[in-house]
Amino acid sequence: MAQPGSLSVLRERYGERYRWFLLLSVMVGTMASIMSSTIVNVAIPDMSHYFALGQERAQWVSSGFMVATTVSMLTTPWLLSRYGYRATYVGAMLLLLAGGIGGGLARDFGLVLAARVAEGLAAGVVQPIPAVIILYAFQPHEQGRASGIFGMGVVLAPAIGPSIGGLLVDWFGWRSIFFMVVPLCLASIALAYKFVPVTAPGGVEANRQGDALDWRGLLLGTVGTLCLLNGLVSLHGGSAAEAGALLTGAALAVGLFIGWQRRQARLGRKPLMDLRLFQYRQFAMGSVVAFIYGTALFGSTYLLPVFMQLGLELSASHVGTLMLPAGFVLAVTIAVVGRLADRQPTHLLVSIGLALLALSFGLMVFVGLGVSLWVLVALAILGRIGLGFILPSLNLGSMRPLDKSLISQGSSTIGFLRMLGGAAGVSLCGIVLEWRLGAHGVALATGASNPARTAAFGETFLMLTCLCGLALVAAWQLKAAPAVTPAKHV
């Protein structure tokens, strides 16, 4: 007899519509996790003032989230196989809910940072799950459409979030933005108990007696990530010896991590990251794109609100309002491109997106004091159109060739590399910005309008343009994946 809440029982109950109900359920939770990652950026200036933080400490509100998200993504395949979809998903949503409430009530910056880390851990577990579901539950000719619909829904939350968040910061202070994830978390938990199966990927029962989590591999990944980020910060703010030691430590941790994963595979244990993934050329090239793209995307997500508020002296509510039209354009673009991804080469769609994203960053060099707000809106829209081409196409182009047994690993690995790039990108933007501010002889502080400050921001955006150019070279190697067997199981 089938287990209550298993995939077979739910499919029999809801029929062909079930896969869409399942996608909707995980979409709500992903919306909450993505909102928590982006919306806090609007409140960083107010939070910095409240806690009397310097730029370096303030950026750890974003970087701490990114580090936690990056590392926890590696645990998703193990959690899914051991506990199944529902227990993994609901557990992550409860942690995200606790982080949102805890951050909103915290009176000490250390507690705020701890809440952000908790939110990041939850987001990292949740975010690889939708790609696993799409590649298991949908036929190959439907996967682009499903990715487009999912992506359209997911981006609406962060599109609307900064606008509402900006108003909340102006009206009620920075604490209010932490509570925005609460209703989405509650809704996602309710949907999970109705539509998310208790079984593991492939429709098999979760194996609570399976291999233990590879804690040693997870520790090496965490040490490598922390050394990389602190090393990047030390390149500018610390001594050369400190930076060299940290970056050497990061390289050593990466080498040990790879060696340990190979040893785990040789011993017949389940590795944290299955290195067989990189034998697939499309996946290897997609991983390179994901890392560089993550660096540019998350770096700009941190940089743009700070530029508008401290460089152009706009209020938080103005910043949110300016980003709102671009968010809706992004949602529409994703829906359209998702359908194209079922018929057009994914490497072409990703390349177009990266070119548009690079152009939007490059044009920011010409944005100065007194610029029309419509110019800012237009540049934001251009960049979001680029994102709309990349988001539904990159995962499909990278993961369609994979063997079904590697899909969960592939989703978490490419997410890990994207977030690792993102965590580095936030630090990198902070480093380059402070470097260029120092070169122009100005400080990152509110006050009288200063063209030198906006020039420093423009030069930092130019760095992001170059990164997108590098990703474009790798994206062209994402040739169309060979045909795969139609999926029959979630």
Side-chain angles (χ1 to χ4, degrees):
M1 184 175 177
Q3 180 184 8
S6 67
L7 173 63
S8 58
V9 169
L10 292 172
R11 285 181 64 136
E12 184 178 349
R13 181 182 303 164
Y14 297 106
E16 285 299 310
R17 299 173 301 165
Y18 171 65
R19 64 190 190 279
W20 294 103
F21 292 150
L22 175 58
L23 192 63
L24 170 66
S25 301
V26 296
M27 182 173 73
V28 174
T30 309
M31 287 167 64
S33 69
I34 292 175
M35 179 180 285
S36 68
S37 72
T38 58
I39 194 172
V40 171
N41 294 327
V42 177
I44 283 178
D46 275 22
M47 196 183 301
S48 300
H49 178 73
Y50 181 88
F51 290 111
L53 304 175
Q55 177 71 13
E56 214 170 88
R57 287 190 71 201
Q59 80 178 39
W60 269 100
V61 173
S62 296
S63 297
F65 182 98
M66 295 294 179
V67 172
T69 302
T70 302
V71 173
S72 65
M73 276 186 175
L74 293 175
T75 67
T76 301
W78 179 83
L79 289 169
L80 290 176
S81 64
R82 190 176 181 91
Y83 299 105
Y85 282 112
R86 185 183 293 177
T88 300
Y89 182 74
V90 170
M93 286 296 99
L94 289 172
L95 184 59
L96 185 63
L97 179 64
I101 295 173
L105 297 176
R107 297 287 173 181
D108 179 78
F109 179 68
L111 295 177
V112 172
L113 193 55
R116 290 295 288 159
V117 169
E119 288 184 318
L121 291 172
V125 171
V126 167
Q127 289 183 22
I129 294 177
V132 176
I133 288 173
I134 288 171
L135 288 167
Y136 266 113
F138 290 86
Q139 302 287 344
H141 67 275
E142 295 179 314
Q143 289 168 358
R145 179 185 170 207
S147 295
I149 292 174
F150 172 80
M152 180 178 65
V154 165
V155 301
L156 282 176
I160 298 171
S163 300
I164 300 174
L167 292 172
L168 289 175
V169 169
D170 286 347
W171 294 345
F172 305 110
W174 61 267
R175 296 181 183 281
S176 57
I177 53 96
F178 276 92
F179 295 112
M180 285 192 64
V181 300
V182 171
L184 286 174
C185 287
L186 294 176
S188 68
I189 292 170
L191 287 168
Y193 278 104
K194 189 169 185 180
F195 297 117
V196 176
V198 297
T199 44
V204 300
E205 288 191 18
N207 181 12
R208 298 289 177 99
Q209 307 303 318
D211 290 341
L213 179 64
D214 180 10
W215 288 105
R216 190 174 300 181
L218 191 62
L219 178 62
L220 287 171
T222 303
V223 169
T225 302
L226 289 172
C227 285
L228 173 64
L229 296 183
N230 284 289
L232 288 173
V233 172
S234 296
L235 279 175
H236 179 64
S239 67
E242 181 186 6
L246 287 168
L247 293 176
T248 300
L252 182 61
V254 169
L256 291 172
F257 177 82
I258 292 172
W260 178 252
Q261 297 310 293
R262 286 177 173 167
R263 184 172 185 270
Q264 292 288 89
R266 283 198 306 269
L267 294 174
R269 299 170 187 162
K270 194 167 187 177
L272 203 62
M273 180 186 294
D274 197 323
L275 299 179
R276 290 179 299 163
L277 291 164
F278 298 99
Q279 296 174 3
Y280 294 82
R281 182 179 57 81
Q282 294 93 335
F283 185 87
M285 289 298 100
S287 297
V288 173
V289 175
F291 180 83
I292 301 174
Y293 157 72
T295 303
L297 173 62
F298 287 98
S300 68
T301 301
Y302 163 77
L303 186 65
L304 194 56
V306 176
F307 169 58
M308 289 185 177
Q309 291 182 73
L310 300 184
L312 301 181
E313 298 181 341
L314 300 174
S315 69
S317 56
H318 262 105
V319 172
T321 303
L322 288 173
M323 296 300 294
L324 187 59
F328 286 113
V329 170
L330 173 58
V332 173
T333 305
I334 285 178
V336 173
V337 174
R339 289 182 175 272
L340 288 176
D342 287 327
R343 304 189 301 271
Q344 300 297 327
T346 51
H347 76 280
L348 179 61
L349 298 176
V350 173
S351 298
I352 291 172
L354 286 169
L356 293 175
L357 193 60
L359 181 61
S360 72
F361 291 148
L363 291 175
M364 292 297 292
V365 174
F366 304 104
V367 173
L369 295 168
V371 67
S372 169
L373 295 183
W374 289 109
V375 173
L376 294 174
V377 172
L379 291 178
I381 287 174
L382 180 63
R384 292 307 183 263
I385 291 174
L387 288 181
F389 272 83
I390 298 168
L391 290 173
S393 311
L394 181 57
N395 274 4
L396 291 180
S398 304
M399 292 172 56
R400 271 176 174 164
L402 297 181
D403 184 82
K404 288 291 182 185
S405 64
L406 292 174
I407 285 177
S408 294
Q409 283 273 355
S411 182
S412 69
T413 298
I414 204 164
F416 167 77
L417 291 171
R418 183 182 68 248
M419 293 303 299
L420 182 62
V426 173
S427 296
L428 187 61
C429 280
I431 294 164
V432 174
L433 177 59
E434 293 220 359
W435 168 44
R436 298 317 302 157
L437 287 168
H440 286 280
V442 293
L444 186 64
T446 54
S449 298
N450 192 329
R453 190 186 301 143
T454 60
F457 274 103
E459 291 160 8
T460 309
F461 279 111
L462 190 59
M463 179 269 296
L464 295 177
T465 303
C466 296
L467 288 177
C468 288
L470 287 175
L472 188 57
V473 175
W476 200 249
Q477 303 301 315
L478 268 174
K479 304 302 180 184
V484 295
T485 304
K488 295 181 181 179
H489 302 288
V490 176

